[in-house]
Amino acid sequence: MPASATPVCAPGRTAAEEVIRAVPGIVKPLPAEWFVAHDTNAEMRWDALRDADGTAAIGRHVPTERFFVRNHTGTPLIDPDGWRLKLFGSGLRGAPSAGRAVEFGLADLRALPSTRIDALIECAGNGRRYYRDQQHQDVPGTPWALGGVGSASWRGVRLAEVLRAAGLTEDAVDVMAVGLDRHYVVGGVDHGPVRRPLPVAKAVDDVLLAYEMNGEPLTPDHGAPARLVVPGWVGVASIKWVGSIEVADHPLSSPWNTDFYRMFGPDHPPGGGAPLGPQVVKSAFELAVGAELAAGREHRLHGRSWSGGAPVALVEVSTDGGLSWRPAEPADEPLAGNWTRWSAAWRPERPGRYELRARATDRLGATQPERAPFNREGYLFGAVVAHPVTVV
């Protein structure tokens, strides 16, 4: 335990809960040329990654001001000086008998060895609208296209370091971070703040407790003062505004791994599939849907592909609706938990409507199918997306 970490009683409100101030909606500006608004969420526009002349406006990392926002309720404003992170539970030494917890302030976290990682955050429902638009299947929820994703450089402390400093035992099974956002109420049911268990094996593997994003302190919409970053997994695992972490010697549960973020439907077990973990393979063009391109000249098509399971191994592009495919040219060294940028040359000779497609395969052999398996909530859409354009 760091010298300034203070033991406190586990029950009741922490200091962080007393300094929180709820703010409806999203704090940062949402210019229409960068975002599509969805209630409490903001989707990144893929065509905003390129300037009007087709040159790259955004590199591998999406600037914080352009990063998508996924909120279950509204963004809270939390005083970083008063914020405390509370760790407690039966998976920590002394916790079962003493009923006590360990608290860390932001200065305590910064005093621990820091780590920087590049990683994507992606909503589990990213691509949900294509269940409806391409597969003619009705699903509820935010109608994300493919803009519920973003890559950033994150700096913080490995969650493993924090857990060990708090007294992690060999008997620990699950780790559950709890956010300081307002309670999520839907259908008259109060589900409490967003929280979701992680297996301890994942928690101590590559999970980061981040306090910086793209070289600057986290901003409110992206989890300030501290958030989890869980590489490769669905975004709900990367809890924002973390206020407490329960560490247990038994499986933990919350509505976010029982009622939500599982696969339900006729092709899944009656009680639902296992809680969602890794993301699926996806690809997107850095081009507006319905964009107009000039006939008789060469165009450079740009895009990005990613997978939660492994680095991208191959990206293929079709300009004839999937009748023929050719490899795209990678622009990055493929990395686990991040996207790979790519491009392909195309010279359409005749005016008309065309359908572009991109599909990726990762190093474990997972590839994008023509059709995504249906599930009632519209999660994990990984099929090839039809991208219409007009040549004039």
Side-chain angles (χ1 to χ4, degrees):
M1 181 188 307
S4 57
T6 307
V8 296
C9 293
R13 296 173 64 83
T14 67
E17 292 171 314
E18 297 298 336
V19 298
I20 187 172
R21 181 165 68 89
V23 177
I26 295 172
V27 173
K28 69 181 181 182
L30 301 174
E33 63 268 26
W34 291 354
F35 296 103
V36 176
H38 300 294
D39 298 323
T40 59
N41 309 297
E43 177 173 3
M44 178 190 73
R45 290 186 181 274
W46 276 90
D47 53 306
L49 298 181
R50 301 235 140 235
D51 290 329
D53 61 1
T55 57
I58 304 297
R60 199 160 196 171
H61 300 146
V62 177
T64 304
E65 65 270 18
R66 296 191 180 207
F67 208 90
F68 87 102
V69 180
R70 169 67 175 110
N71 286 350
H72 277 77
T73 55
T75 294
L77 295 182
I78 302 170
D79 174 13
D81 294 329
W83 175 84
R84 296 292 184 272
L85 172 65
K86 178 179 69 174
L87 289 95
F88 66 98
S90 58
L92 299 179
R93 284 192 298 273
S97 59
R100 299 174 72 81
V102 176
E103 279 196 355
F104 296 82
L106 202 53
D108 298 321
L109 295 185
R110 289 185 174 275
L112 293 171
S114 68
T115 298
R116 189 191 68 81
I117 65 172
D118 293 342
L120 288 175
I121 301 289
E122 182 183 9
C123 178
N126 195 30
R128 178 181 282 125
R129 67 174 294 172
Y130 298 110
Y131 280 107
R132 179 196 67 199
D133 293 356
Q134 287 194 182
Q135 300 188 178
H136 310 294
Q137 297 166 322
D138 290 330
V139 293
T142 302
W144 301 98
L146 289 172
V149 63
S151 174
S153 172
W154 310 92
R155 180 170 173 262
V157 183
R158 290 195 177 276
L159 184 55
E161 293 275 358
V162 178
L163 294 172
R164 287 168 187 145
L168 182 71
T169 71
E170 293 182 355
D171 295 327
V173 171
D174 273 359
V175 173
M176 183 160 67
V178 182
L180 289 170
D181 42 343
R182 295 202 316 272
H183 286 206
Y184 179 56
V185 181
V186 61
V189 178
D190 185 344
H191 295 286
V194 177
R195 60 205 185 280
R196 193 171 192 263
L198 281 173
V200 72
K202 177 66 174 176
V204 301
D205 179 21
D206 59 357
V207 176
L208 191 72
L209 182 61
Y211 46 73
E212 288 184 5
M213 178 182 183
N214 292 330
E216 299 289 341
L218 285 172
T219 57
D221 292 311
H222 300 296
R227 68 170 300 163
L228 293 190
V229 177
V230 184
W233 279 39
V234 291
V236 70
S238 295
I239 299 295
K240 297 194 284 187
W241 318 295
V242 176
S244 64
I245 299 176
E246 181 177 0
V247 186
D249 62 3
H250 55 274
L252 296 171
S253 64
S254 83
W256 283 267
N257 76 329
T258 56
D259 299 339
F260 318 128
Y261 297 96
R262 298 171 65 192
M263 297 293 207
F264 296 96
D267 297 327
H268 303 283
L276 300 183
Q279 269 285 4
V280 295
V281 190
K282 291 190 179 74
S283 299
F285 286 94
E286 297 174 4
L287 185 67
V289 173
E292 292 188 353
L293 304 174
R297 57 160 290 193
E298 184 172 287
H299 300 275
R300 176 63 57 172
L301 304 174
H302 296 269
R304 306 185 188 211
S305 297
W306 61 99
S307 169
V312 170
L314 172 68
V315 179
E316 299 169 287
V317 171
S318 173
T319 56
D320 56 12
L323 295 177
S324 62
W325 296 86
R326 54 194 170 92
E329 302 169 28
D332 297 309
E333 176 65 28
L335 298 174
N338 212 333
W339 52 27
T340 297
R341 295 175 294 170
W342 47 262
S343 67
W346 181 41
R347 183 185 176 93
E349 297 295 344
R350 293 186 298 276
R353 293 177 60 101
Y354 291 80
E355 185 182 278
L356 308 179
R357 295 188 175 204
R359 69 183 179 195
T361 302
D362 70 20
R363 289 181 181 172
L364 292 178
T367 192
Q368 294 182 252
E370 285 298 308
R371 190 175 179 86
F374 174 76
N375 67 94
R376 191 180 68 202
E377 304 300 324
Y379 295 134
L380 302 187
F381 186 92
V384 175
V385 171
H387 192 110
V389 297
T390 301
V391 174
V392 295

